[in-house]
Amino acid sequence: MTDPAALVEGQVPPPGCPAHAGGAVRLSGLEYQQTPSQLYRALRKEHGAVAPIMLDGDIPAWLVLGYSEVSYVTGHDELFARDSRRWNQWPNIPADWPLMPFVGYQPSLLFTEGAEHQRRAGVITEALEAVDQFELAHTCREIAEGLIDEFAGSGEAELMAAFAHALPMRAVVQLCGMPLGGVDTEDLVRDLRISLDAPEDDDPVAAYLRVQARIEQLVKEKRSTPGTDVTSRMLAHPAGLTDEEVVQDLITLIAAAQQPTANWICNSLRLLLTDDRFALNVSGGRLSVGQALNEVLWLDTPTQNFVGRWAVRDTQLAGRHIKTGDCLVLGFAAANTDPQIWPEGHVGAENSAHLSFSNGEHRCLYPGPLLADVIARTAVETLLERLPDVVLAVEPHELTWRPSIWMRGLTALPVRFTPAVQ
Ligand code: HEM
């Protein structure tokens, strides 16, 4: 196996490279993607709490690995801000750079700062706060039942595609005011999957444009005929967002909710199906489902690394000299397993002091984590109730993680169970 801390040798760092003081580690294309915890351990040993890294195309950045350092960076937006146009590396970034969808500036709440961020975030928060969590659980159960009906008779399923990804997408689209089961909703769900997942046989850009067109149409419809949904509440909010702003923020909201929640569901199902501690009472154990969901947030968090923050001015962090415009990648997975907070090698904490939903002004917007919990918990519980003898269809070591250093999710979760009589 490639040494997870392999240094990029024989390369001249670009001017202003934060890595020039020490060997920077490439965060792309390495085998450690199956076991990133090895990489984080090696990086910590070599560099401490803040490591110089190379993003795709050997673009320099910092990976913040320490729990208190990630908390500090996310808690000080006056020093580490969110508008990616601050980046000092833009002259070195090609237009087709693979990370462009994550860092390319868009006029959505994600990249806004200060008072403008508070205005945009306030609208979404209030629109989401009005969601009835019991109703959401009911909707998610209906969606889960419908998805399970599709494969229950066959005795086998690939849960990643057929369940974990499909469920949160439908739940969130429905929250935004599109009816479940409508042709439009199904088209939108399919295009969202293509634009977020970029499967090889489809065009993600064309799919994204169709998503945008459909959300624009939804906003128009809700402007003329409001309902009791998130979109209508955003439009009616006294902050007076324009239709374009609502479209941008709805797309952000749907994308921000979909992949992390899908991976949270799948990673929790994997834990429940592979770890003996959960095996005995998996079918009836509501408590165990809650514990598995929480343990995943500590140990296999869906958003393992996130780009990021950009330094507002020259500053110091964990002894590193950070220059104005440097990019900092938030290492949530590394921070959650920081030996500084777990000196005795603790695994699977009972509490929820992890950083999986980030921290500070741009943290996963309240009440996002609560709604994600309702969606994920209902999904997992419904599946285990409907398929009480569900087991993995492969050996646990045959499960593979998607080759991404950003999201932590499986490529597939094949299972078998007694077929339902239909
Ligand atoms: C219903 C489900 C969810 C909703 C509605 C939601 C919503 C959002 C929104 C609107 C943002 C942008 C916040 C901003 O920039 O001001 C965000 C950011 C984020 N969310 Fe969520 N989210 C959901 C589920 C999740 C899950 C399951 C996770 C991971 C366990 C997660 C982790 C994050 C992270 C790490 C960020 C970036 C925060 C930062 O920049 O510091 N979210 N979420």
Side-chain angles (χ1 to χ4, degrees), residues 276-343:
D276 288 346
R277 289 171 302 146
F278 299 95
L280 283 177
N281 56 355
V282 87
S283 57
R286 279 166 190 273
L287 193 62
S288 288
V289 170
Q291 284 170 332
L293 288 167
N294 195 49
E295 186 162 318
V296 161
L297 293 181
W298 280 104
L299 294 180
D300 272 320
T301 193
T303 313
Q304 49 179 339
N305 295 298
F306 184 76
V307 206
R309 298 290 190 271
W310 285 270
V312 172
R313 56 178 165 80
D314 285 11
T315 185
Q316 296 282 327
L317 184 68
R320 298 283 181 181
H321 181 58
I322 311 287
K323 295 216 192 79
T324 307
D326 277 1
C327 171
L328 294 98
V329 174
L330 304 173
F332 298 124
N336 286 344
T337 51
D338 184 347
Q340 296 277 346
I341 56 164
W342 301 121

Side-chain angles (χ1 to χ4, degrees), residues 110 117 256-257 260-261 297 306 309 332 356-358 362-364 372:
L110 265 190
H117 179 258
T261 313
L297 293 181
F306 184 76
R309 298 290 190 271
F332 298 124
S356 296
F357 293 110
S358 190
H362 274 275
R363 72 193 172 279
C364 182

Side-chain angles (χ1 to χ4, degrees), residues 1 12 15 49 96 124 128 152 156 166 214 262 300 332-333 354 389 393 415:
M1 160 154 186
V12 182
D96 61 350
I124 295 200
L128 289 177
E156 57 183 20
R214 184 62 193 88
D300 272 320
F332 298 124
H354 52 74
D389 62 354
V415 294

Side-chain angles (χ1 to χ4, degrees), residues 357-380:
F357 293 110
S358 190
N359 166 56
E361 180 67 25
H362 274 275
R363 72 193 172 279
C364 182
L365 207 124
Y366 180 84
L370 293 181
L371 302 182
D373 183 81
V374 171
I375 299 170
R377 192 178 293 261
T378 310
V380 174

